Amino acid sequence: MNILIVEDEKSLILEVYQFLTNEGFTVENVYTKKAAAEKILVNNYDFILLDLGLPDGDGFELLKILKDLKGREDAVIILTARGDVNDRIKGLEEGADDYLPKPFSLNELLARIHAITRRKHKLESNDIDIKGFRINIQKRTVLYGDQRINLTKKEFDIFNYLVLNKKRVISRTNLTEHVWGDILEVNSDSNFVDVHVKNLRKKLSQFAPIDWFETVRSIGYRINI
Amino acid sequence: MKLQFKLALYNALTKFAIILFTGGLIIISLARISNHHIELRLRQKKAELLAHLSSKDIDNILHQQKAFSDFNIFQEEYIIITPINSLYDNATEVTFTTEARPVEKRMQSFRILKSGFNYENHGYLLEIGETIDAVDELKSTIKGFTLLMLFIALSLTLLIDLIFTQYLLKPFYQIIDRKLVKVNDPMNFDYEKISTTTQDFKLLDDSISSLMVKISNLFTLEKQFIANVSHELLTPISIISSRLENILQQEGLTEDNENKIFASLKTIDRLKAIIKSLLLISQIENNQFNKKDQVNISEIIKEINQEIADRLEIKKLKFYNNTNAAYTMPGNRSLMYTLLYNIINNSVKYNRVGGGIILSDTQTPHTYTLEINDTGIGMDAIEIEKAFNRFEKLNTSEKESYGLGLAIVKSIAAFHEVGIQINSTKNTGTTFILTFKKNPHLH
């Protein structure tokens, strides 16, 4: 999949570029609105990561240019330091697929990219299999064989996020941010996550051993498959 | 007491005093003048009488050595001449008295001249009286009239004073009302001049306006500063945290290094949370949120209850929701959620293990009051006073408290015109009282 990053902060581009390349994406960078407009006209992208505050114009204008082109299915994720709710609403209303306020976690970005991909392609992979546990993202269910495991909303969200980012250590704060949202929850202390994870583990281990569900020292968790 | 009424009262009192004084003066001088006139007349009469003594009739009477008395037709005057046995040494001596004399079965006041005179080697006592009932009547009439005038003048001037001072002070009250009382935010200040011809009020109006310009400039500057700083910090933080995340993905990192990087990421998260909170406060204060939702308070409370269920469990807290009013207000739902969440979350955080949180509400026709009561560590008066300040933290073992939760609560409450009050006893518990005005102004 190819991704276009439109962002004027070069150091940030470098990091996102490195991360996404490691994940196996083809990534291109542009720093200005003008350059981005040219790229968009020439190529189709799976994803465009769009910063709103560009040196030569507003990211919304690029969004408009893109939406005026017929038959384009480029998914747009707006990345911006503008936390403004109105900006967020405006971006989504004008055709962006997601909105990620800076500073964001790269894992979060990846999770959103995965989510949009699934949504767009209506993938069969709505069913993810982890050692016999089948997670259905659409229906939000977890099955072991034919048996349904009753998870709370939070437990499911945590499991889902860890599975989407499997083989990667996910810190408690990262998990909190994703599951509890990052806009208004300020004083989140990470030990609630532990309680949920503990319950989740208890429920899962009733069906099969879950040694793949690791606690990584004092940092966080990892699903190691 | 309002200035207007004070002025009117002052005017009324001074007028009352002036009228009382002049009225008293008139009555006293009237009495003296009339007495003086009567005495003059009495002296004249005496002189006339003595001059006519030689006339035959009187002569006869006097010779009979009998007392002579005579009233005129209207019994306003009388003369009594009484012979005495000795002669007068000082015949010209005259005394005046006021005495009551019976006239046709009733007593009448008279001003009486008493004087002795000698006539043909006999001494006589002369008494000439003139009624002063007429004068007394006049006096009481004047008294009554004065009183009536006093009353009329007082009420009339009081009324006029009130109307006039009201007219005069109207711009003053407009200034107080529009420029001082109704201003809860310098941003919403009404710079339109109050029309007045009174120079002092103009000066007052101008001074308040120019002061307000200064304040709101400072205010805007502060808000801009916070917003800009926060904004500009977010991108570098984004870069650092992305870089650290990338390093973490590398193979061959020692455990020690990995831990350090995670610790750094945690610090960055803390920084991020602080900046976001500051940005949130500045956005609320800049009115960047709309109030278009119909916010159902009891629904939010239920949601928060679910949200914090795990935290309640950890601390073994009991959550009693005794609210029963279905109160809905216009506002911003996510902000109201944050407000209630922060307060209830504090009740959890600062509670003792096995304690409780009690929510209750009351309703009046104009207000809805929500009380959030906990059995926590409580605050003393100084802590309560500082509770809403930014970066004010209680002495707490909570590691992840930034001291911004209640600052956010305060700005959201102000944004929604919700009254907020803390009652607390150290080591016993804290009660947050939220007072919602029904039908608040919508901007």
XYZ file of all heavy atoms in Angstrom, chain B residues 189-221:
267
model
N -17.978 42.562 27.062
C -18.257 43.900 27.575
C -18.932 44.757 26.519
O -18.610 44.707 25.338
C -16.953 44.556 28.020
C -17.159 45.859 28.740
C -17.647 45.856 30.029
C -16.894 47.058 28.118
C -17.849 47.050 30.699
C -17.099 48.251 28.782
C -17.577 48.245 30.079
N -19.899 45.540 26.983
C -20.675 46.392 26.096
C -20.021 47.775 26.075
O -20.082 48.510 27.045
C -22.100 46.464 26.671
C -22.985 47.377 25.852
O -22.537 47.820 24.769
O -24.111 47.644 26.300
N -19.369 48.112 24.957
C -18.638 49.372 24.908
C -19.504 50.555 24.502
O -19.034 51.671 24.423
C -17.436 49.263 23.961
C -16.311 48.447 24.551
C -16.059 47.154 24.139
C -15.518 48.984 25.562
C -15.048 46.409 24.710
C -14.500 48.256 26.128
C -14.263 46.973 25.702
O -13.258 46.246 26.268
N -20.768 50.330 24.232
C -21.641 51.423 23.804
C -21.777 52.441 24.925
O -22.004 52.071 26.084
C -23.021 50.856 23.455
C -23.836 51.804 22.617
C -25.290 51.364 22.594
O -25.528 50.153 22.524
O -26.159 52.239 22.658
N -21.645 53.738 24.563
C -21.658 54.753 25.608
C -23.061 54.934 26.156
O -24.039 54.853 25.412
C -21.148 56.077 25.031
C -19.659 56.073 24.905
C -19.116 57.470 24.831
C -17.609 57.350 24.834
N -16.884 58.536 24.848
N -23.136 55.199 27.435
C -24.408 55.526 28.072
C -24.637 57.017 27.827
O -23.763 57.825 28.111
C -24.328 55.262 29.595
C -23.861 53.840 29.888
C -25.630 55.606 30.266
C -24.881 52.779 29.842
N -25.806 57.376 27.277
C -26.021 58.787 26.960
C -26.372 59.545 28.235
O -27.301 59.186 28.964
C -27.130 58.928 25.921
O -28.346 58.574 26.499
N -25.588 60.580 28.510
C -25.834 61.398 29.700
C -25.221 62.761 29.473
O -24.281 62.912 28.700
C -25.218 60.747 30.965
O -25.333 61.681 32.035
C -23.765 60.384 30.769
N -25.782 63.765 30.144
C -25.194 65.098 30.045
C -24.377 65.403 31.291
O -23.729 66.422 31.379
C -26.299 66.160 29.880
O -27.281 65.916 30.878
C -26.916 66.104 28.500
N -24.431 64.493 32.272
C -23.666 64.712 33.507
C -22.204 64.335 33.268
O -21.909 63.219 32.879
C -24.234 63.855 34.648
O -25.646 63.967 34.639
C -23.700 64.312 35.974
N -21.350 65.317 33.491
C -19.944 65.123 33.149
C -19.306 63.992 33.961
O -18.544 63.195 33.434
C -19.190 66.421 33.394
C -17.948 66.519 32.532
C -17.194 67.777 32.847
O -17.628 68.607 33.642
N -16.041 67.936 32.218
N -19.686 63.937 35.255
C -19.082 62.935 36.136
C -19.377 61.522 35.647
O -18.535 60.647 35.661
C -19.615 63.090 37.550
C -19.552 64.521 38.025
O -20.111 65.411 37.328
O -18.937 64.761 39.052
N -20.625 61.335 35.205
C -21.019 60.005 34.733
C -20.290 59.662 33.445
O -19.891 58.527 33.225
C -22.529 59.928 34.526
C -23.314 60.042 35.810
C -24.645 60.413 35.788
C -22.714 59.769 37.027
C -25.368 60.519 36.967
C -23.425 59.871 38.206
C -24.752 60.251 38.176
N -20.131 60.675 32.592
C -19.379 60.456 31.351
C -17.980 59.970 31.674
O -17.465 59.015 31.093
C -19.287 61.757 30.545
C -20.438 61.968 29.583
C -20.194 63.218 28.761
C -21.424 63.554 27.952
N -21.392 64.906 27.423
N -17.387 60.650 32.652
C -16.026 60.314 33.060
C -15.965 58.885 33.593
O -15.088 58.103 33.231
C -15.575 61.298 34.140
C -14.070 61.340 34.427
C -13.327 61.901 33.250
C -13.805 62.164 35.677
N -16.960 58.558 34.431
C -17.027 57.219 35.012
C -17.139 56.166 33.910
O -16.413 55.171 33.888
C -18.239 57.135 35.947
C -18.454 55.808 36.672
C -17.368 55.597 37.701
C -19.821 55.788 37.338
N -18.076 56.427 32.992
C -18.311 55.507 31.880
C -17.032 55.289 31.071
O -16.613 54.161 30.803
C -19.421 56.091 31.007
C -19.938 55.081 30.013
O -19.582 53.897 30.148
O -20.675 55.477 29.107
N -16.395 56.418 30.730
C -15.172 56.337 29.927
C -14.069 55.589 30.668
O -13.355 54.772 30.082
C -14.684 57.742 29.548
C -15.622 58.384 28.544
O -16.452 57.643 27.986
O -15.528 59.607 28.335
N -13.966 55.879 31.974
C -12.897 55.234 32.749
C -13.102 53.730 32.795
O -12.161 52.964 32.596
C -12.875 55.765 34.181
O -12.819 57.155 34.173
N -14.362 53.325 33.055
C -14.643 51.889 33.115
C -14.335 51.247 31.767
O -13.710 50.196 31.683
C -16.112 51.627 33.519
C -16.339 52.058 34.960
C -16.457 50.145 33.378
C -17.756 51.953 35.418
N -14.778 51.922 30.703
C -14.553 51.365 29.364
C -13.071 51.203 29.074
O -12.635 50.158 28.585
C -15.194 52.254 28.297
O -16.589 52.128 28.374
N -12.293 52.240 29.400
C -10.877 52.161 29.045
C -10.166 51.110 29.906
O -9.277 50.409 29.446
C -10.198 53.523 29.182
O -10.138 53.900 30.522
N -10.652 50.996 31.157
C -10.104 49.961 32.037
C -10.407 48.583 31.468
O -9.569 47.682 31.459
C -10.748 50.094 33.414
C -9.899 49.732 34.616
C -8.695 50.635 34.708
C -10.738 49.825 35.877
N -11.625 48.459 30.980
C -12.065 47.182 30.450
C -11.285 46.827 29.179
O -10.984 45.659 28.945
C -13.559 47.275 30.151
C -14.315 46.006 30.340
S -13.858 45.055 31.783
C -15.192 45.394 32.849
N -10.982 47.847 28.375
C -10.179 47.602 27.171
C -8.838 47.001 27.580
O -8.381 46.010 27.019
C -9.957 48.908 26.370
C -8.940 48.702 25.269
C -11.268 49.393 25.782
N -8.238 47.613 28.610
C -6.944 47.125 29.076
C -7.054 45.679 29.561
O -6.249 44.823 29.202
C -6.438 48.001 30.230
C -5.727 49.244 29.758
C -5.227 50.037 30.938
C -5.046 51.496 30.548
N -5.036 52.380 31.709
N -8.088 45.441 30.398
C -8.253 44.096 30.957
C -8.466 43.078 29.847
O -7.844 42.019 29.821
C -9.444 44.054 31.939
C -9.118 44.874 33.178
C -9.764 42.616 32.348
C -10.273 45.014 34.123
N -9.349 43.433 28.895
C -9.651 42.426 27.874
C -8.455 42.210 26.959
O -8.239 41.105 26.461
C -10.904 42.797 27.085
O -10.711 43.992 26.411
N -7.642 43.275 26.764
C -6.420 43.083 25.980
C -5.492 42.083 26.656
O -4.956 41.181 26.024
C -5.684 44.409 25.792
C -6.307 45.239 24.695
O -7.115 44.715 23.917
N -5.970 46.508 24.634
N -5.351 42.263 27.965
C -4.506 41.344 28.719
C -5.053 39.925 28.662
O -4.315 38.956 28.503
C -4.416 41.785 30.181
C -3.503 42.968 30.456
C -3.607 43.389 31.908
C -2.063 42.599 30.136
N -6.362 39.865 28.788
C -7.060 38.584 28.759
C -6.806 37.858 27.440
O -6.423 36.700 27.416
C -8.552 38.874 28.894
C -9.232 38.028 29.912
C -8.878 38.115 31.240
C -10.233 37.157 29.539
C -9.511 37.355 32.176
C -10.873 36.381 30.475
C -10.514 36.483 31.796
N -7.027 38.606 26.349
C -6.827 38.021 25.028
C -5.388 37.575 24.861
O -5.111 36.493 24.343
C -7.141 39.058 23.931
O -8.216 39.859 24.375
C -7.502 38.404 22.622
N -4.498 38.431 25.342
C -3.078 38.131 25.212
C -2.741 36.833 25.939
O -2.035 35.978 25.411
C -2.280 39.287 25.819
C -1.004 39.673 25.090
C -1.334 40.187 23.709
C -0.253 40.722 25.886
